[in-house]
Amino acid sequence: MSNAISDLFASGRVVSFQSNQSVFQIGDRVQNMYFVTDGGVDLVRYSKRGAPLILARVGQGGVLAEASAYSSRYHCHAVTSAPTQLRSLPVSAFRDRLHGSPDMARTWAARLAQELQTARMQSEIRSLKTVAERLDAWLGENKTLPPKGQMQNLAYFLGVSREALYRELARRRG
């Protein structure tokens, strides 16, 4: 599926960002859709006290703010978490490509359904009280732990600190 989505953005303009740069801000008019070819972008909202809440972390092969394809304004901030390269496609061209190809529309719908399932699973896991319960629920769905360099992503997904996750993993090993 990601090859088909990548193909959708193949003619898009390449845009590069340094770490901690804004791609778009909440309330900006949706003019482009973005595909991450390298690096990563956090989709962020801020609490009334200014604390960041990361709604999603989008890495290589991901599309930023998918729901924006049919919205007039972005509903979050997009901030790069590393040096990042994106393919930018005008939202009108993006929609035209989807509407002009039933296969592409089905692929996009399948991707959105997968993203929704993942978001629901994450919400369910984060409603659990302990790190152990959250990790058990995640392992029940995924069966194995990610490679060492990916543990911070698992901690983010579980809604716990890296340190709390490492403590729980050490407890299970010991």
Side-chain angles (χ1 to χ4, degrees), residues 22-81:
S22 176
V23 178
F24 54 77
Q25 297 284 320
I26 192 168
D28 286 352
R29 287 181 39 84
V30 176
Q31 295 180 2
N32 296 294
M33 294 295 292
Y34 298 94
F35 179 81
V36 181
T37 58
D38 191 37
V41 179
D42 290 340
L43 300 180
V44 182
R45 286 195 189 164
Y46 294 92
S47 72
K48 290 180 182 179
R49 294 185 177 161
L53 172 63
I54 298 173
L55 304 174
R57 288 203 156 133
V58 184
Q60 185 176 2
V63 178
L64 298 185
E66 298 97 328
S68 298
Y70 294 96
S71 181
S72 62
R73 304 221 175 253
Y74 292 110
H75 294 97
C76 60
H77 300 286
V79 181
T80 56
S81 56

Side-chain angles (χ1 to χ4, degrees), residues 131-143:
V131 176
E133 289 174 323
R134 291 178 186 197
L135 183 57
D136 286 341
W138 189 87
L139 287 170
E141 290 290 326
N142 296 285
K143 310 295 186 236

